[in-house]
Amino acid sequence: MSGELTSTASPYDRDKRSGTETHAWYIDDRIDIGNWTITPGMRFEHISSYQRNAIRGTQQDVSYNAPLPALLDINHNEVDGGTQSTG
């Protein structure tokens, strides 16, 4: 080690800052069809991240959206009032 600070040419420069911001929304619904009850849902996520390298003076930004569908529950309602659930 020479005791010198790393430079922009060094693969070991570590003066970096990063961060992530996320937002999510969720909805679901109950659907009755005859003796069946189905509960589908949807989650939607928006994610933004960045990584800033102060030594090189660069910043990388990444942003994406992710729809995440779900089937939360399926019930069969018995005639006698009982319920059989899969979820």
Side-chain angles (χ1 to χ4, degrees), residues 33-70:
I33 303 171
N35 289 342
W36 292 92
T37 300
I38 302 168
T39 309
M42 175 67 81
R43 180 181 174 96
F44 181 82
E45 295 184 358
H46 174 75
I47 299 135
S48 297
S49 296
Y50 75 92
Q51 185 174 49
R52 183 178 306 125
N53 185 321
I55 291 176
R56 294 185 181 177
T58 60
Q59 179 167 319
Q60 180 181 10
D61 295 299
V62 177
S63 179
Y64 62 94
N65 299 313
L68 305 165

Side-chain angles (χ1 to χ4, degrees), residues 72-76 83-87:
L72 304 173
D73 199 12
I74 300 175
N75 291 321
H76 184 260
T83 301
Q84 294 180 354
S85 178
T86 61

Side-chain angles (χ1 to χ4, degrees), residues 11-32:
Y12 305 109
D13 61 56
R14 301 300 299 167
D15 190 4
K16 295 184 179 180
R17 305 287 184 269
S18 63
T20 300
E21 184 175 300
T22 62
H23 299 278
W25 300 268
Y26 181 80
I27 60 170
D28 65 21
D29 192 14
R30 176 181 156 166
I31 303 169
D32 294 314

